[in-house]
């Protein structure tokens, strides 16, 4: 074990002494040589988080760190505690001039561990965030760590993505091998590689930027003093948290720039740094039993980081989901979040392998690894390498599933294959053909029908979003396994009441033909009837609308907003949501979304299909322009009816389209494999 540990140490030394480029030009870091002038850091009297910064000299780095905190702040209330560990310079005198800072001074040098424990003892926050003084924070540094405790079941510790000042990645969570040796995952890689941009469980996270529940920290005895003055204490704390049944989460959205080695140097055979080797032996001895479950030292890193054997699912869809683009994206992102909560490791690939940085971050937020250009190979190459790790594959939409099903069966034969219809394309196309009288579209619908039914027969499980579609397929293919997994929405609840609201809202982009037809019918035939009687009522159109189409939609009272990042302002300020769809299939996310905010809906029968909605109870329904306009005007001025529909709409989402309903469906469809351990500890 000593030889293997030495090899790892020498490899680390070689890396640390590599020639490094200059500071990344994209960083906006605080200058180390800037003259000191007094400033203030945020300081709450009732902090939720206590930021603890231990220091021993190196004043310039400490000031730069505190300036970055002052610059970026946080939404959550926090305090900053600097523990001066008998600094040999004039740090205490200078730092005393920073307003809002809680400055503690050790009477004698206690080392890193002693200083952290002293800061924790004085902290008032529910959470402790240990932060090295040779770091600089970036926007979201604190709030995104806090998210993990709200969004990750059993989270006890959360750690940041660490990068060098030159822009290279320093750490994306730590890995511990069976001999007690450790490795910083992603070291010297590109910091925006999607491999390092998704939340995941880690063996440990660096104490350079580590958040932990204060009660958990005290329950496990804080940083273990046997590692004094420093090194391996963060690994030990993580193992203690895991032994207490808590998870350690790597959070890539909290990015912290870490100079590394400023306080203790880089030479492992000199100064405090030499404790690294001795403390590793101490760590291995203390956690001997737990280390038996860690990967062997020669295990490749990409394999070792998944050693806990979460079952692995690959999801392939036409495009990378974007919650601001369409309801199908929101549904898929929420499904991925639930899969991870249920103990699954999730990888995602778009059929075109394209993904924007924002889309990669959205996937990472729900714990999904984006496989995209230029970072990942083609599906066939990836499956050749990773197919044996897959327990399930979900292929979305018939035109994505059809060309890839045989490939999946061949390269991942052990995987359960799910076909997610999203909605039955042939049913939507049939209805569009009937609505328009288009014979070409009718022939296309029949072709789609044969393809979709063939896929359903060839796959292990088929997912549909609507009870109507479930019943249709049960009649067509009684031998196939069809499961209902509908839209998934958070129930936000009603914000503003009836009198504080005004106007109508339609949500839907022209990239979906039923939406384009609905908008044109709404603007040309429905809204003119409303505007003639109530010119004070505005109509808000939200969604991707081409410029040429916008010109044809400009009429009095119509406000075209296009695509927006957040629907909440309209969901909380408009009085009625509209869904005048004349054809389509599946379940309509625009209806779910409005009802999840307590916003009443007027819709056509097609728009309400398969949603367990009843006219006059949860919704108002009308299928002709005159009746639709009449229903809108009636609801707009009837507070009692509005209140009733608002309450009943919220009940409908809770019962049929909530996370709880979807979680139960997924648990039924994808139970954890028998060889899976307690992934959530």
């Amino acid at each position: 074990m000593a030889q293997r540990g030495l090899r790892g140490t020498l490899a680390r030394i070689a890396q640390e002494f590599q020639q490094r480029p200059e500071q990344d030009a994209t960083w906006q870091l605080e200058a180390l040589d800037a003259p000191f002038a007094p400033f203030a850091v945020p300081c709450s009297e009732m902090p939720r988080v206590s930021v603890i910064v231990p220091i021993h000299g190196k004043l310039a780095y400490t000031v730069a760190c505190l300036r970055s905190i002052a610059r970026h702040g946080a939404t959550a209330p926090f305090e900053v505690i600097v523990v001066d560990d008998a600094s040999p310079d004039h740090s205490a005198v200078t730092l005393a001039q920073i307003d809002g800072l809680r400055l503690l001074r050790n009477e004698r040098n206690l080392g890193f561990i002693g200083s952290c424990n002293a800061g924790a003892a004085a902290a008032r926050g529910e959470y402790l965030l240990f932060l090295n003084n040779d770091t600089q924070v970036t926007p979201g540094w604190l709030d995104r760590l806090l998210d993990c405790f709200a969004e990750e079941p059993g989270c006890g510790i959360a750690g940041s993505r660490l990068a060098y000042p030159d822009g290279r990645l320093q750490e994306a969570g730590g890995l511990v091998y069976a001999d007690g040796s450790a490795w910083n995952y992603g070291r010297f890689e590109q910091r925006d590689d999607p491999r390092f941009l998704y939340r995941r469980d880690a063996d440990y996270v660096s104490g350079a930027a580590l958040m932990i529940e204060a009660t958990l920290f005290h329950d496990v005895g804080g940083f273990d003093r046997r590692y004094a003055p420093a090194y391996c204490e963060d690994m030990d704390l993580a193992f203690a948290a895991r032994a207490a049944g808590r998870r350690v989460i790597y959070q890539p959205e909290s990015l912290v720039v870490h100079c590394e080695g400023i306080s203790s140097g880089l030479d492992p055979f000199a100064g405090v740094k030499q404790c690294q080797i001795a403390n590793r032996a101490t760590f291995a001895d203390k956690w001997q039993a737990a280390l038996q479950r860690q990967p062997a030292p020669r295990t490749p890193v990409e394999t070792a980081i998944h050693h806990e054997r979460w079952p692995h699912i690959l999801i392939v869809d036409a495009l990378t989901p974007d919650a601001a683009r369409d309801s199908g994206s929101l549904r898929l992102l929420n499904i991925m979040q639930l899969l991870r909560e249920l103990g699954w490791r999730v990888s995602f690939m778009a059929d075109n392998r394209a993904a924007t940085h924002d889309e990669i971050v959205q996937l990472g937020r729900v714990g999904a690894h984006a496989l995209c250009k230029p970072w990942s190979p083609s599906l066939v190459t990836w499956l050749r390498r990773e197919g044996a790790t897959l327990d399930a594959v979900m292929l979305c939409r018939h035109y994505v599933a059809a060309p890839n099903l045989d490939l999946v069966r061949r390269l991942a034969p052990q995987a359960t294959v799910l076909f997610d219809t999203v909605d039955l394309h042939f049913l939507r196309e049939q209805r569009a053909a009937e609505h328009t009288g288009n014979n070409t579209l009718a022939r296309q619908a029949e072709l789609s029908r044969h393809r979709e039914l063939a896929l359903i027969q060839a796959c292990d499980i088929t997912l549909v979003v609507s009870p109507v579609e479930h019943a249709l397929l049960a009649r067509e293919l009684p031998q196939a396994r069809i499961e209902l997994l509908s839209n998934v929405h958070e129930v936000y609840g009603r914000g503003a009441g009836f009198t504080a609201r005004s106007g109508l809202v339609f949500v839907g982009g022209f990239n979906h033909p039923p939406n384009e037809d609905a908008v044109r019918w709404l603007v040309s035939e429905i809204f003119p009837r409303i505007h003639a009687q109530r010119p004070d009522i505005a109509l808000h159109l939200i969604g991707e609308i081409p410029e040429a189409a916008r010109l044809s939609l400009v009429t009095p009272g119509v406000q075209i907003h296009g695509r927006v990042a957040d629907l909440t302002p309209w969901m909380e300020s408009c009085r009625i949501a509209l869904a005048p769809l004349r054809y389509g299939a599946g379940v309509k996310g625009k209806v779910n979304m409005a009802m999840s905010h307590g916003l009443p809906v007027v819709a056509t029968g097609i728009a309400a299909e398969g949603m367990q909605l009843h006219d006059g109870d949860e919704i108002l329904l009308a299928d002709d322009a005159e009746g639709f306009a009449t229903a809108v005007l009636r609801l707009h001025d009837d507070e009692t009816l509005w209140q009733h529909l608002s309450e009943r709409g919220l009940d409908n989402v809770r019962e049929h389209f909530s996370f709880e309903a979807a979680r139960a469906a997924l648990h039924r469809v994808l139970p954890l494999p028998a060889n899976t351990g307690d992934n959530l500890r």
Side-chain angles (χ1 to χ4, degrees):
M1 186 184 79
Q3 288 181 340
R4 288 196 295 269
L6 181 60
R7 281 197 297 269
T9 299
L10 293 176
R12 178 63 61 84
I13 295 170
Q15 283 190 329
E16 289 174 341
F17 282 97
Q18 284 181 11
Q19 183 66 36
R20 303 182 185 183
E22 296 297 321
Q23 178 177 306
D24 190 323
T26 63
W27 291 136
Q28 294 183 342
L29 300 181
E30 303 294 331
L32 295 173
D33 57 357
F36 178 80
F39 60 97
V41 294
C43 183
S44 171
E45 289 301 314
M46 299 182 65
R48 191 165 183 216
V49 179
S50 295
V51 180
I52 299 168
V53 184
I55 69 167
H56 180 70
K58 308 298 181 182
L59 176 60
Y61 287 90
T62 304
V63 171
C65 174
L66 296 174
R67 281 180 177 146
S68 73
I69 293 173
R71 178 182 179 185
H72 296 296
T75 300
F78 68 99
E79 64 177 351
V80 181
I81 301 171
V82 168
V83 184
D84 182 5
D85 193 26
S87 292
D89 58 13
H90 56 284
S91 289
V93 175
T94 301
L95 298 178
Q97 301 175 60
I98 299 176
D99 191 35
L101 185 67
R102 292 185 63 194
L103 180 61
L104 307 181
R105 300 186 66 182
N106 296 338
E107 294 183 3
R108 58 183 178 83
N109 187 282
L110 300 180
F112 178 84
I113 290 173
S115 295
C116 286
N117 287 342
R124 299 174 295 180
E126 179 184 355
Y127 297 91
L128 310 176
L129 200 173
F130 295 100
L131 189 69
N132 277 16
N133 70 322
D134 55 355
T135 62
Q136 292 195 33
V137 304
T138 68
W141 62 289
L142 184 150
D143 293 312
R144 301 293 74 80
L145 289 176
L146 206 52
D147 289 345
C148 293
F149 295 89
E151 299 168 2
E152 298 290 338
C155 177
I157 293 176
S160 302
R161 176 168 48 124
L162 300 179
Y164 290 105
D166 60 37
R168 292 177 299 171
L169 185 65
Q170 183 182 122
E171 179 189 310
L175 170 64
V176 179
Y177 289 98
D179 62 355
S181 61
W183 196 253
N184 301 132
Y185 182 52
R187 194 174 184 84
F188 296 148
E189 300 276 4
Q190 296 185 58
R191 68 178 184 271
D192 287 334
D193 186 323
R195 287 182 297 159
F196 314 120
L197 291 182
Y198 67 97
R199 283 190 209 173
R200 61 175 180 80
D201 286 62
D203 291 339
Y204 77 99
V205 292
S206 171
L210 178 157
M211 183 181 285
I212 182 171
E213 284 187 354
T215 53
L216 176 61
F217 184 78
H218 296 304
D219 287 346
V220 300
F223 285 122
D224 193 332
R225 295 182 182 276
R226 76 182 73 185
Y227 300 102
Y231 289 105
C232 296
E233 73 285 334
D234 45 12
M235 291 166 51
D236 180 88
L237 185 67
F239 271 59
R242 290 164 50 170
R246 306 297 290 277
R247 296 167 64 199
V248 178
I249 304 294
Y250 160 66
Q251 168 58 297
E253 289 188 87
S254 172
L255 176 62
V256 172
V257 182
H258 182 210
C259 294
E260 191 184 43
I262 296 303
S263 298
S264 303
L266 297 172
D267 184 352
F269 301 109
V272 174
K273 191 81 171 177
Q274 65 186 317
C275 297
Q276 197 169 26
I277 297 173
N279 283 356
R280 186 140 298 147
T282 301
F283 173 82
D285 181 63
K286 177 179 177 180
W287 295 104
Q288 186 175 8
L291 287 171
Q292 293 177 14
R293 298 190 294 271
Q294 299 299 116
R298 296 184 183 276
T299 306
V301 171
E302 294 294 336
T303 301
I305 61 167
H306 299 299
H307 65 84
E308 292 177 334
R309 189 61 186 108
W310 290 53
H312 189 189
I313 184 170
L314 169 68
I315 299 175
V316 185
D317 199 355
L319 302 173
T320 300
D322 178 356
R325 185 180 63 230
D326 56 74
S327 64
S329 290
L330 179 62
R331 170 179 175 267
L332 185 55
L333 285 166
N334 286 341
I335 286 173
M336 286 190 270
Q337 177 179 324
L338 285 169
L339 282 169
R340 185 158 177 273
E341 286 181 13
L342 290 170
W344 285 81
R345 169 186 162 204
V346 181
S347 297
F348 173 86
M349 182 181 288
D351 197 44
N352 61 4
R353 290 176 49 231
T356 66
H357 179 75
D358 286 347
E359 289 168 347
I360 293 169
V361 170
Q362 282 188 68
L363 285 169
R365 194 169 295 149
V366 298
H369 177 194
L371 305 171
C372 59
K373 297 182 287 189
W375 314 99
S376 296
S378 65
L379 179 60
V380 62
T381 302
W382 189 87
L383 282 172
R384 284 186 182 129
R385 189 182 71 204
E386 302 288 344
T389 72
L390 292 171
D391 298 277
V393 177
M394 187 164 84
L395 302 172
C396 306
R397 307 173 206 272
H398 75 91
Y399 52 85
V400 172
N404 291 313
L405 177 58
D406 288 345
L407 181 67
V408 169
R409 288 295 196 196
R410 180 162 49 87
L411 297 178
Q414 75 291 340
T416 299
V417 179
L418 299 91
F419 171 36
D420 183 16
T421 61
V422 182
D423 63 22
L424 285 177
H425 286 59
F426 79 82
L427 182 59
R428 173 159 45 85
E429 290 171 350
Q430 280 178 356
R431 290 170 171 176
E434 292 166 1
H435 175 67
T436 61
N438 187 321
N439 291 329
T440 301
L441 193 53
R443 289 191 293 272
Q444 174 61 43
E446 187 59 22
L447 218 83
S448 295
R449 179 179 176 276
H450 285 297
R451 288 174 178 165
E452 284 188 279
L453 293 183
L455 280 166
I456 291 167
Q457 289 178 302
C459 293
D460 298 314
I461 303 171
T462 294
L463 305 177
V464 294
V465 298
S466 161
V468 172
E469 295 178 350
H470 189 280
L472 185 157
L473 292 179
R475 291 192 301 270
E476 291 269 3
L477 301 170
Q479 75 283 7
R481 183 178 175 187
I482 315 298
E483 295 284 354
L484 178 64
L485 179 56
S486 199
N487 289 354
V488 188
H489 289 271
E490 182 177 343
V491 181
Y492 297 98
R494 184 176 56 250
F498 177 84
T499 57
R501 295 170 175 265
S502 64
L504 318 173
V505 61
F506 174 88
V507 178
F510 273 34
N511 57 340
H512 189 53
N515 285 335
E516 179 177 359
D517 176 76
V519 169
R520 294 193 183 281
W521 185 45
L522 174 60
V523 171
S524 64
E525 297 188 42
I526 298 173
F527 188 66
R529 288 175 162 85
I530 297 170
H531 188 71
Q533 295 190 47
R534 292 292 302 272
D536 57 310
I537 299 176
L539 170 61
H540 302 274
L541 301 180
I542 298 176
E544 198 86 43
I545 301 177
E547 192 59 36
R550 287 186 181 216
L551 297 176
S552 66
L553 299 173
V554 175
T555 55
V558 176
Q559 298 181 23
I560 303 174
H561 302 280
R563 182 176 171 181
V564 300
D566 184 10
L567 291 172
T568 304
W570 288 271
M571 295 293 103
E572 294 187 348
S573 64
C574 290
R575 188 170 288 183
I576 305 172
L578 308 180
L581 300 173
R582 295 192 286 184
Y583 66 93
V587 168
K588 311 307 178 294
K590 58 175 62 62
V591 175
N592 292 141
M593 178 60 71
M595 289 184 172
S596 72
H597 284 270
L599 177 60
V601 179
V602 178
T604 58
I606 283 289
E609 182 184 66
M611 300 181 70
Q612 295 84 31
L613 297 171
H614 307 90
D615 186 24
D617 191 10
E618 299 95 354
I619 197 168
L620 292 187
L621 299 177
D623 288 320
D624 63 277
E626 184 64 39
F628 203 100
T630 299
V632 171
L633 289 167
R634 173 191 168 201
L635 177 58
H636 188 273
D637 293 330
D638 189 335
E639 184 172 359
T640 301
L641 176 61
W642 188 95
Q643 190 76 22
H644 176 79
L645 294 181
S646 174
E647 292 290 346
R648 295 292 291 132
L650 283 166
D651 290 342
N652 177 266
V653 177
R654 289 189 190 99
E655 183 175 357
H656 301 292
F657 305 104
S658 64
F659 276 82
E660 289 71 21
R663 186 179 289 109
L666 281 170
H667 188 71
R668 182 178 67 251
V669 171
L670 283 174
L672 292 177
N675 63 337
T676 301
D678 181 12
N679 294 318
L680 300 184
R681 289 191 244 280

